[in-house]
Amino acid sequence: MGCGNAGGRVRRGYLALMNANPIELQKALGGVNYPAGKGTIVDQARQNGAGDEIVAALDALPEKEYESPAQVSKEVAQES
């Protein structure tokens, strides 16, 4: 029963990935020191004032180390 919300979180993340503005995504990634994990990237995006769709898109990414903003953007594009 603890997984009941997981499907909703994945669905919201998928919708956010579809709507993520590439320019806003790059702004959100400013100041991240790479390589960086997903949590660091999401935290920095929040600090940069990223909108809910961008934060949700980043939060929906796989848990791994990202080497550059280009890699993050590519992963967002692949997920959408």
Side-chain angles (χ1 to χ4, degrees):
M1 288 187 214
C3 300
N5 192 25
R9 184 171 53 243
V10 169
R11 178 79 176 139
R12 281 193 305 277
Y14 175 74
L15 291 173
L17 287 167
M18 289 176 47
N19 295 321
N21 178 318
I23 295 169
E24 293 301 316
L25 177 61
Q26 288 305 307
K27 287 181 187 177
L29 298 176
V32 175
N33 293 316
Y34 293 92
K38 179 177 114 172
T40 299
I41 292 168
V42 171
D43 289 345
Q44 185 65 47
R46 286 188 178 115
Q47 289 178 16
N48 289 343
D52 291 342
E53 286 181 348
I54 297 295
V55 172
L58 294 171
D59 201 44
L61 292 173
E63 289 283 350
K64 65 179 189 180
E65 290 285 309
Y66 293 89
E67 297 297 323
S68 68
Q71 185 184 13
V72 175
S73 295
K74 182 178 176 182
E75 193 79 41
V76 167
Q78 286 177 349
E79 294 291 323
S80 60

